[in-house]
Amino acid sequence: TEENVRRELCRFEEAAASMFGRHSACAAIGISGSIALRELDGPVAVLTLSGRFWHRRATVLRNAKAWLRRRWPELSDAQVADPDDVLDVIFDDETGEVLEDRRAPDHDGNRGTMEYQGVDPDSRGPFAQAAGGFRAGGSMFS
């Protein structure tokens, strides 16, 4: 039912702590994104994305789809109501000018650095883990 999907989307937002603005650490760095059910069209969940995400919107949608399908194998797909919902940046078709940037700010410069280095920032998320001797139990050589 639609209520079950809404409940699972809330659980998904709770579990994916680095993706959504409902978490204080995310909200503090400008992440305001949320996901909602627009309708259930037979075996297809039609979703909407709103706000600003640090992760690519396509990644958020892909993870939501996987989350929902793990709970309901009979769900054939989860898609957005508006294809523009998965665009991170909206450009003017004629000038190429940025009309809307839906990404949360790159608060520490890591996303830009990772993209420059050819690393997918979504594989790590907005909060880097300490490494080596600077984390509990770490070695200077790890």
Side-chain angles (χ1 to χ4, degrees), residues 2 5-6 36-42 44-47 81:
E2 288 188 4
V5 174
R6 284 187 180 92
L37 176 70
R38 178 180 235 171
E39 65 180 330
L40 199 53
D41 185 12
V44 177
V46 181
L47 308 174

Side-chain angles (χ1 to χ4, degrees), residues 13 19 27 31 34 37 51 64 73 84 87 110:
E13 282 190 351
M19 284 189 177
I31 297 172
S34 65
L37 176 70
D84 284 352
L87 298 177
N110 282 344

Side-chain angles (χ1 to χ4, degrees), residues 57-70:
R57 294 166 88 82
T59 299
V60 174
L61 178 62
R62 184 181 68 239
N63 288 344
K65 178 179 178 176
W67 179 276
L68 291 172
R69 291 193 70 204
R70 271 195 306 268

Side-chain angles (χ1 to χ4, degrees), residues 40-56:
L40 199 53
D41 185 12
V44 177
V46 181
L47 308 174
T48 60
L49 298 174
S50 61
R52 299 176 79 182
F53 292 94
W54 192 91
H55 293 81
R56 287 188 306 269

Side-chain angles (χ1 to χ4, degrees), residues 51-121:
R52 299 176 79 182
F53 292 94
W54 192 91
H55 293 81
R56 287 188 306 269
R57 294 166 88 82
T59 299
V60 174
L61 178 62
R62 184 181 68 239
N63 288 344
K65 178 179 178 176
W67 179 276
L68 291 172
R69 291 193 70 204
R70 271 195 306 268
R71 274 121 187 101
W72 294 291
E74 62 273 10
L75 189 70
S76 68
D77 199 11
Q79 59 193 25
V80 290
D82 179 358
D84 284 352
D85 270 3
V86 293
L87 298 177
D88 296 312
V89 180
I90 306 289
F91 296 97
D92 183 280
D93 290 335
E94 294 179 15
T95 66
E97 180 181 331
V98 173
L99 298 175
E100 181 183 6
D101 188 345
R102 297 172 170 176
R103 299 173 298 175
D106 190 4
H107 69 101
D108 58 5
N110 282 344
R111 181 177 55 211
T113 301
M114 292 173 75
E115 289 171 346
Y116 175 78
Q117 294 172 341
V119 176
D120 178 10

